[in-house]
Amino acid sequence: MKTSVIITTYNSVDWLRKVLIGYSVQNEIDFELVIADDGSKKETKQLIDLFSSKFKYPIIHVWQEDNGFQKCKILNKAILETHSDYLLFTDGDCIPRKDFIQKHLKHQQKGYFLSGGYFKLPLKSSTTIKDDDIVSQKCFSIYWLIKNGISISFKITKLINNDMFARIMNSTTPTKRTFNGHNSSVFKNDLLAINGFNQNMHYGGLDREVGERLAHSGILSKQIRYDAICLHLHHERGYVDLDKIKSNLAIRRYNLQHRIIRIKNGLVSE
């Protein structure tokens, strides 16, 4: 298969349903879905079983017991269950446009990871989106979104579906080419070389830390935020812990200062 799409989730069945519908209508069908589930209840498994027959390959559900925020741990477990040489990372609250996977595959390049973004929706728009709006792709229409609760701003230009416009914007945007857990892709071997995600990290920059270590290993980054489009559904972040965010920043500062490539508590313990 051409790529493995790793989707993180935690007890968010309504949002994950919309995301899975988005993947069921992708232009590219030669991919597998790997759900990295950080301790959801049985409803998530039931939803995955319902959708599994809609894809070329069965959905792989990687689950671990709920023991607080352990996103890095479940991501590492999910990586080990993939069957492709190329991995695409996203979240269970990000609905992909129908060309999402196609764009990642179009821009993949040896020696690079791809850095995408999202268009963030308010709660009203998030709840308004129905199954048919995803299948028809109405929910990616600027006009439809304005009519259904989003405010007009420059950020809405990310939804313009034009290759030339995307090239210009990707080359001129001041946004850094970071590794983003909601929309990034990388060759599996490059991720294995740095020992995957750092399990010492909690919420707050854990994905960017991966990109920083990839850079230390010689992997460059490519901007595709105007190519690979997904809609980020609104949700609260009850797991935010300011002390752990400070700890994450300290880890990243140390790694940057010492140009750390491979961490000890990752895919394998060293």
Side-chain angles (χ1 to χ4, degrees):
M1 64 194 69
K2 294 180 181 178
T3 187
S4 299
V5 182
I6 298 178
I7 304 174
T8 55
T9 193
Y10 172 72
N11 283 331
S12 187
V13 173
D14 290 341
W15 277 188
L16 182 60
R17 174 183 174 81
K18 298 182 183 190
V19 171
L20 291 177
I21 292 171
Y23 284 100
S24 74
V25 295
Q26 288 291 297
N27 294 339
E28 175 60 63
I29 64 168
D30 195 11
F31 65 91
E32 69 175 352
L33 291 181
V34 182
I35 309 297
D37 185 349
D38 191 13
S40 297
K41 297 177 181 177
K42 64 180 181 179
E43 289 80 7
T44 296
K45 175 64 165 59
Q46 292 169 348
L47 176 69
I48 291 169
D49 289 343
L50 182 67
F51 270 86
S52 194
S53 64
K54 297 183 183 296
F55 300 94
K56 182 176 179 179
Y57 304 102
I59 301 176
I60 300 171
H61 183 204
V62 185
W63 181 89
Q64 66 187 12
E65 187 176 353
D66 185 359
N67 191 21
F69 186 93
Q70 299 183 101
K71 185 175 180 179
C72 289
K73 184 176 181 179
I74 195 62
L75 280 168
N76 284 336
K77 288 181 178 180
I79 290 166
L80 294 175
E81 294 295 326
T82 58
H83 298 92
S84 172
D85 295 330
Y86 196 69
L87 309 181
L88 197 170
F89 291 88
T90 186
D91 288 330
D93 53 20
C94 292
I95 303 174
R97 197 170 65 189
K98 66 180 181 180
D99 59 351
F100 185 73
I101 293 176
Q102 186 179 64
K103 293 291 187 180
H104 271 273
L105 293 175
K106 174 184 176 181
H107 292 286
Q108 74 175 49
Q109 184 178 350
K110 288 287 187 180
Y112 286 82
F113 72 81
L114 303 185
S115 173
Y118 57 56
F119 184 80
K120 194 171 185 179
L121 300 183
L123 181 59
K124 179 181 184 297
S125 304
S126 300
T127 54
T128 298
I129 294 175
K130 301 296 186 290
D131 295 2
D132 288 346
D133 300 320
I134 302 169
V135 173
S136 68
Q137 299 286 283
K138 282 182 183 177
C139 61
F140 292 93
S141 160
I142 293 174
Y143 172 77
W144 188 93
L145 287 168
I146 291 173
K147 190 171 68 173
N148 287 281
I150 72 162
S151 302
I152 299 175
S153 70
F154 181 77
K155 291 181 179 179
I156 206 170
T157 59
K158 281 190 281 187
L159 297 174
I160 296 174
N161 193 357
N162 179 279
D163 287 345
M164 183 176 293
F165 179 79
R167 281 197 298 273
I168 293 169
M169 297 303 292
N170 284 330
S171 64
T172 58
T173 179
T175 304
K176 293 181 178 179
R177 302 184 300 274
T178 53
F179 192 96
N180 305 313
H182 53 265
N183 187 353
S184 282
S185 58
V186 63
F187 284 93
K188 185 195 290 189
N189 282 341
D190 294 335
L191 206 51
L192 296 178
I194 67 168
N195 204 18
F197 287 80
N198 191 337
Q199 293 181 194
N200 292 335
M201 297 192 72
H202 197 266
Y203 173 80
L206 60 89
D207 40 10
R208 293 194 175 196
E209 189 265 355
V210 169
E212 289 157 1
R213 286 187 288 114
L214 284 168
H216 295 163
S217 73
I219 302 301
L220 304 176
S221 54
K222 186 190 293 188
Q223 185 73 268
I224 60 164
R225 64 188 286 107
Y226 284 85
D227 282 289
I229 304 303
C230 59
L231 301 176
H232 184 274
L233 302 169
H234 176 84
H235 64 88
E236 301 299 331
R237 290 180 169 84
Y239 43 76
V240 174
D241 184 320
L242 294 180
D243 288 336
K244 289 180 178 178
I245 288 177
K246 290 179 182 177
S247 175
N248 284 1
L249 287 171
I251 291 171
R252 289 175 64 195
R253 280 195 297 268
Y254 178 89
N255 288 354
L256 286 168
Q257 181 181 355
H258 296 87
R259 297 194 63 79
I260 299 297
I261 294 174
R262 191 173 176 90
I263 38 86
K264 293 183 178 180
N265 189 16
L267 275 166
V268 296
S269 297
E270 300 180 344

